[in-house]
Amino acid sequence: MPATEHEPWEYSLYIPNDPRAVIVSRRTLRLILTMHGLIRLVDLAELLAAELVSNAVRHTKGPAALRVSWSAGVLRIGAWDADPEPPEPPRVLEQIAEAEEGRGLALVRACADLWGWHPLARHGNRGKFVWCELAAVA
């Protein structure tokens, strides 16, 4: 039986700096959302998580983490990485539609209700947390 959408929850998945971490993160997120009865958010949430985790793995050398939380009808997806430098600002999606790289944060900005980043220290490691939110539509 799926958990009620009204109960807050949070999951963290620590991942190595490995391109395969993106698919592991996507599949884990799909399972979490399905188990919590939020299947309607799965496709968009997977896209956003893949972009955030891909950036964390591709642009840093250390470990990373996917964090997913639900509270008050809002799904927050974030990726932590060990690089404290801010992410590159997203470019205009229409100008990079055909580009093979550099679309990640532009997609996040275009598809999420909110997004942002902040410096973060975790277990003695410095880094940053890039996040986005999706509000559930009834």
Side-chain angles (χ1 to χ4, degrees):
M1 175 181 205
T4 174
E5 293 180 20
H6 302 291
E7 298 174 21
W9 48 260
E10 182 176 313
Y11 294 87
S12 294
L13 175 65
Y14 296 92
I15 53 178
N17 190 290
D18 183 325
R20 295 172 291 191
V22 176
I23 192 72
V24 170
S25 297
R26 286 180 69 137
R27 290 185 177 166
T28 301
L29 177 62
R30 177 173 285 275
L31 180 60
I32 290 167
L33 295 180
T34 300
M35 295 303 296
H36 283 282
L38 296 168
I39 193 73
R40 67 187 178 281
L41 297 177
V42 167
D43 292 334
L44 183 53
E46 271 190 323
L47 171 68
L48 296 173
E51 295 301 335
L52 295 176
V53 171
S54 179
N55 282 348
V57 170
R58 176 182 255 174
H59 299 295
T60 66
K61 292 181 173 39
L66 171 69
R67 189 166 134 199
V68 183
S69 64
W70 172 262
S71 182
V74 175
L75 179 69
R76 180 176 267 209
I77 304 164
W80 169 84
D81 66 56
D83 184 358
E85 291 298 314
E88 291 289 323
R91 295 187 267 171
V92 177
L93 193 56
E94 292 78 18
Q95 294 176 351
I96 57 172
E98 300 300 318
E100 291 186 28
E101 292 184 346
R103 297 180 305 198
L105 285 181
L107 282 171
V108 170
R109 181 177 63 185
C111 296
D113 295 317
L114 291 172
W115 83 276
W117 80 276
H118 55 82
L120 185 67
R122 173 165 279 188
H123 307 296
N125 296 319
R126 293 177 12 154
K128 69 179 165 294
F129 185 69
V130 182
W131 57 269
C132 64
E133 292 182 348
L134 293 174
V137 178

